[in-house]
Amino acid sequence: MSERDSPELPDFSVLKRLARDQLIYLLEQLPGKKDLFIEADLMSPLDRIANVSTLKQHEVDKLYKVEYKPVVSTSDQLCFLIRPRIQTVKWVCDVVNADKAAGKFKRYKIIFTPQKFYACETVLEEQGIFGDVSTDEWAFYLLPLDEDIINLELPEFFRDNFLEGDQRWVRTGGSALHLFHSIYGPFSKVYGIGRCSKMVYESWREQVKEGEQKARQAEVGTVFLIDRDVDFVTPLCSQVVYEGLVDDIFRIKCGCVEFGPDVTSSDKSIKVMLNSQDKVFNEIRNEHFSNVFGFLSQKARNLQTAYDKRRGMDIKQMKTFVSEELKGLKQEHRLLSLHIGASESMMKKKTKQDFQELLKTEHSLLEGFEIRECISFIEEHINRQVSMIESLRLLCLLSLTENGESNQFSNNLNSAWPCQSYGVDHLLTFANLKQLGLLVEQQPGETLTVMESKMGKLVNDKTAGKLTDAFSSLAKKSNFRALSRRLSLVPKSDEEYDLRVPRDMAYIFSGAYIPLSCKLIEQVLERDGWTGLEEVTRLLNGHEFAVTGSNGADLRPQSDAQRIILVMFLGGCTFSEISALRFLGRERGYKFIVLTTAITNSARLIEAMLDNHV
Amino acid sequence: MMKSKADEEDYWNSSKFKAFTFDDEDDEFTKKQEVEPQLPHRVFPASCFLFPAGISWSVRETASSLREQSFPKIDTTPSLPKNSSGYSLSSLFKGKEGEREMMDCAAVSLEKFRSLQEKLLLLDEAVGVHDGNVITAVLIYLKKSLSKEVLFRELESRQTALRHFIHYLTESKEQRLLLELYRALGRTEDEALLQYKEHLRITDENKRRDFLKSCVSLPFSPEDAGHVQDHYTLLERQIIIEATDRQAETGGKVEIFQKFPRRASILNMPLITTLYYCCFYHYAETEGTYSSPANIRQTFRIAEKQYFVTALAARAKLKAWHDVDALFTSRNWLGFTRKKSPLSFSRVADILSKNNAPVQVLQEYVGLVDDVELRVALAQKYKCHFIVISTYRDLKDRQLLLGYRGKVERGSEEERKIDELLSNPQIRWKN
């Protein structure tokens, strides 16, 4: 179906250089030798753009990971590279105050990234060290993870924004978009859906207004913004496309995965970068797992043939072979055995946990079929104390797909049994899941009256804030079933689905479900807006928009820049969604660039809701 | 791209802390550097940021009005009529000072806002620009400059600001103030949950138990109240069981603790883990003791199915097949015994096989699976040959039986059985 070649993606290496140059500039603001303390979750992102020798060149003496313990540094200059978190700043205050008490005089600098928050500076003030510590911002917003993935590496965006209702990252999102826009824009079309998307759009627009915009050829012309809470179902499903599965099982961190001894079949673990530079990985990352073995063994045979060419070579030919081909073959050999090892290990793990049955349950839930069996499967999962994350994930999936309607068990399912199996501490976790709308509790007949009395109160209380809140709690209904019908998200199950020759994005879930998020993107691009999707947006509680810029940007839909689409996921996206978009791009002649606040999956999503710790 | 850098490794070891490696320059994105990047207009954010109250904001020219607006503004407020509460938001601040200018870094000091009306307008403006950082900044100022009563009262009708405030208090661990806030707002369940959460900080089990006891009377939802009561009762029991068992273990007189030393203390474990523990170490105890499984089952109203799953797993782990058998055996009024299970026999077989039950035990339960197809599949999976054979016989399927003959060991009892059936003239084969 590929009607034409997809356009070329822009070069993102600029982003890394920019971030590195900024960091160097900031380090030079504290001249002389200094020790650098780095927040743990900033280490991998930093790793991607700078190395130890770069830092050493700029007089960083020793590097430490922030561990919330007293420091042993002897340097008289300390620099802290941290996220704007109150807890971390409090720790820095402790360090400074301990030095003061010991009569040591040092210079301190905090570099907040990607920005500082007022609340953090208040901590410095309250702890009496405001002025003793200089602060700066490292506007490191965009980390290119691959040629089509850019990550903000802000996993807390999800919880802060959607659970806590804290809009601290809205401007960050706007700034990230602004940075992208100023290098690869100007954009000519922006589509979006979700409350946060709207706010990020507005923040971006304000920032564009503030700065000057040079007229120039756009590299990326179309943008789609989407809130994670528009589609919770997709990230809660088990991933079965290779890259997603690797993430579910081994957890890819900042584009890098650590394969343990069971994969490497040695006694060591190795870290492997997973991106398009890995030729083997690049060919299987978007494949359904069932195709991967076949592909890898074919590849292994080809490799053998290439090696075998050596036989019967004369010395000269052999010399050329060794200097030109052998290195490449060896590299491929190594990658191949790694991915075969990973596939085997994943197979083993999945067989052990009855993956087939688990998938069957998920598919039934998506289809709305044999719900009773699904419920008893989940119940048993809980009773047998199988992984809590997995149980909660299935419970949420049940609640979202059934819209809280299959409720004869809900009271027991939604807290009693899980509390018995995993600890009463999780009452707080359940409160979070309910607050977020992942678990819907329904007392038949009562819900409406509660709503009505709430509304009644509102009529007297004329404040907009309260109305917003009441409506956002109304908005918690997921309407998945109706959406699924409208958008045909679940293909007819009686047809055979050939996973080797996918016919739609449903292949990423074994042909059982087209991810809602990606389907919306497809529809809006096809319709050039939300026209005709009124019922869908109503079911999604609105907040959709489609706007066109008018600053002389190229608006021809056929132009390359228009066919390169930046999709910004606010609250994270999964590798499966990225695979689905890549598929859509191939089918329709688009190229998608994914800009996400974090790479997520079901486990990360649920873990962000856990509250059984101090 | 594998990482191994001996030289840098040395460096790391010298810093005596857990080392991490950095990627080398041969990073995929840094290779092609010939393109001169077009910098965004503001590489280093102008000191466009909030300073604490009292320090003036750095001034920057605001020429935004000169530039053409290329993208339209969209309405980010909910699609509801705006409030008509009397005061106009813009009148006070328009073009002068306020939130929007705060963002634009005009010279503003929050301390200028002294009347309640001004403070509230400031807050509402902050909410209007959707910058959580600014909202929190204003809230911190209001917290310092307004009494709790007034602040709480005003926040009640400002949900967005309220949520920011709650999050700020949570992050800065101002528990007491947060509890007061919940109380003032009548959010009793949140208050109760927050208080209950405090138990996580208490490490001493007796203190924790006493604390949980004090939580029981908090205004939880009826459902949660039951859970918290259970939590308290459970910990109370665990403390007793733990003390007794630790003594028994160190005393060295109780066989089960010698044979299967406890791997961890039972304190603070979930209910089902506790039940499993008791089914493992205290199975035969009479209902009178705290640690008897029956007592636990009754006290915590554990569902039949859940009890069975747990007891089964525990006894199977111990290979106490007799107990397993007894668990499922019921007698009817005529004294006949039969196997009964609240969970499907296929599940029972699954649990047993995961605990390495021998075929003799497994086949008993596999044979009880009603669904013929499933029964055969399981029997094959667990190598319960006799079940497969008898099922094929019941199906009168000679062909399948013949086929299966090739799968059993030559000269085995199974083979003999198959031959015996195949030569039995009494069976009317269907094929």
Side-chain angles (χ1 to χ4, degrees), chain A residues 224-414:
Chain A
F224 195 107
L225 300 166
I226 182 166
D227 283 17
R228 186 66 276 173
D229 69 352
V230 167
D231 176 12
F232 277 140
V233 171
T234 303
L236 285 173
C237 292
S238 293
Q239 304 194 73
V240 285
V241 161
Y242 188 73
E243 190 168 12
L245 193 58
V246 171
D247 189 39
D248 273 0
I249 294 181
F250 301 104
R251 298 217 178 195
I252 301 172
K253 203 173 130 201
C254 213
C256 180
V257 72
E258 187 167 351
F259 284 136
D262 56 327
V263 172
T264 60
S265 36
S266 66
D267 51 358
K268 284 188 304 210
S269 293
I270 36 175
K271 284 188 174 173
V272 188
M273 294 295 294
L274 293 179
N275 55 39
S276 51
Q277 300 290 298
D278 175 341
K279 292 284 174 279
V280 176
F281 176 69
N282 199 36
E283 285 187 77
I284 53 175
R285 67 195 306 185
N286 302 310
E287 288 291 319
H288 189 272
F289 188 64
S290 59
N291 298 336
V292 169
F293 267 117
F295 176 87
L296 291 176
S297 60
Q298 180 57 46
K299 198 96 185 151
R301 277 195 294 275
N302 295 350
L303 194 66
Q304 189 59 52
T305 320
Y307 272 130
D308 287 347
K309 273 200 332 201
R310 277 177 306 182
R311 288 191 198 132
M313 279 182 183
D314 59 27
I315 298 256
K316 200 175 164 211
Q317 286 169 320
M318 188 63 100
K319 215 172 149 192
T320 332
F321 176 80
V322 169
S323 64
E324 285 170 12
E325 282 179 63
L326 194 59
K327 198 176 163 216
L329 290 177
K330 280 202 163 151
Q331 165 85 351
E332 195 178 325
H333 188 162
R334 206 168 44 85
L335 292 171
L336 201 53
S337 41
L338 258 182
H339 289 296
I340 291 174
S343 302
E344 279 173 346
S345 161
M346 293 198 290
M347 272 297 267
K348 243 185 247 161
K349 289 198 171 96
K350 287 299 181 189
T351 320
K352 220 165 127 193
Q353 65 159 88
D354 294 323
F355 197 44
Q356 280 305 332
E357 210 170 334
L358 189 72
L359 287 180
K360 205 183 111 201
T361 303
E362 280 177 35
H363 295 170
S364 301
L365 287 174
L366 292 165
E367 242 181 295
F369 188 63
E370 295 184 328
I371 296 305
R372 199 165 278 277
E373 282 78 356
C374 295
I375 291 173
S376 71
F377 179 84
I378 300 171
E379 182 196 337
E380 223 174 88
H381 236 256
I382 296 167
N383 286 349
R384 289 172 71 176
Q385 293 182 296
V386 187
S387 141
M388 179 186 65
I389 298 291
E390 198 89 305
S391 295
L392 292 183
R393 174 176 80 84
L394 290 170
L395 273 182
C396 294
L397 212 47
L398 170 73
S399 177
L400 287 169
T401 52
E402 286 295 295
N403 205 0
E405 271 157 31
S406 61
N407 250 322
Q408 62 270 50
F409 298 97
S410 86
N411 280 343
N412 281 336
L413 264 184
N414 281 355

Side-chain angles (χ1 to χ4, degrees), chain B residues 171-416:
Chain B
E171 285 194 314
S172 47
K173 301 205 186 341
E174 295 190 56
Q175 224 75 0
R176 205 166 287 172
L177 191 57
L178 189 51
L179 285 173
E180 275 181 68
L181 174 63
Y182 281 143
R183 210 167 301 146
L185 298 174
R187 287 170 62 167
T188 49
E189 285 181 28
D190 291 316
E191 186 195 342
L193 274 175
L194 182 64
Q195 244 169 306
Y196 164 75
K197 193 180 176 182
E198 280 297 295
H199 82 266
L200 294 165
R201 289 178 196 279
I202 307 171
T203 43
D204 178 88
E205 66 263 20
N206 290 309
K207 284 187 187 145
R208 191 184 256 217
R209 177 200 54 207
D210 296 345
F211 181 84
L212 285 172
K213 190 177 183 186
S214 75
C215 285
V216 169
S217 55
L218 294 173
F220 289 104
S221 69
E223 206 191 334
D224 287 358
H227 294 319
V228 174
Q229 170 71 53
D230 281 353
H231 195 177
Y232 160 65
T233 317
L234 181 63
L235 183 57
E236 193 185 29
R237 292 244 173 149
Q238 286 171 337
I239 291 172
I240 298 169
I241 298 172
E242 179 64 26
T244 321
D245 288 3
R246 197 184 300 143
Q247 212 173 14
E249 194 174 35
T250 45
K253 296 241 169 67
V254 185
E255 194 196 347
I256 183 124
F257 291 117
Q258 300 306 113
K259 261 171 91 180
F260 303 96
R262 304 184 314 150
R263 262 184 272 159
S265 130
I266 193 62
L267 294 173
N268 299 315
M269 292 295 163
L271 174 60
I272 295 302
T273 313
T274 312
L275 176 64
Y276 181 89
Y277 175 96
C278 291
C279 286
F280 196 91
Y281 290 109
H282 303 279
Y283 196 61
E285 277 172 28
T286 53
E287 227 173 288
T289 68
Y290 274 143
S291 48
S292 99
N295 190 317
I296 295 208
R297 178 182 181 178
Q298 209 196 348
T299 308
F300 296 97
R301 307 163 309 279
I302 295 172
E304 189 190 23
K305 204 165 167 179
Q306 192 147 17
Y307 178 81
F308 262 73
V309 172
T310 314
L312 174 63
R315 300 321 288 171
K317 185 90 192 160
L318 283 167
K319 312 220 175 299
W321 308 123
H322 183 74
D323 290 339
V324 169
D325 190 60
L327 201 53
F328 294 102
T329 308
S330 69
R331 245 170 240 284
N332 69 7
W333 61 281
L334 289 172
F336 294 117
T337 64
R338 64 190 190 95
K339 289 264 185 293
K340 226 176 87 180
S341 168
L343 67 158
S344 70
F345 283 110
S346 60
R347 274 290 156 216
V348 174
D350 182 42
I351 294 172
L352 289 172
S353 90
K354 288 212 163 95
N355 285 293
N356 304 317
V359 172
Q360 290 84 334
V361 174
L362 267 172
Q363 65 183 12
E364 182 133 2
Y365 298 93
V366 173
L368 290 167
V369 173
D370 273 337
D371 184 283
V372 175
E373 242 173 84
L374 183 61
R375 191 196 311 151
V376 172
L378 288 174
Q380 293 189 345
K381 183 174 163 191
Y382 301 134
K383 306 211 165 16
C384 302
H385 299 302
F386 284 113
I387 302 289
V388 180
I389 296 166
S390 62
T391 307
Y392 288 158
R393 181 204 57 204
D394 295 346
L395 292 171
K396 310 221 183 311
D397 198 322
R398 194 183 154 83
Q399 291 308 317
L400 282 178
L401 197 56
L402 259 173
Y404 202 69
R405 194 177 179 276
K407 288 184 188 154
V408 298
E409 237 174 275
R410 207 165 268 182
S412 65
E413 216 177 305
E414 288 88 354
E415 195 188 51
R416 243 177 292 134

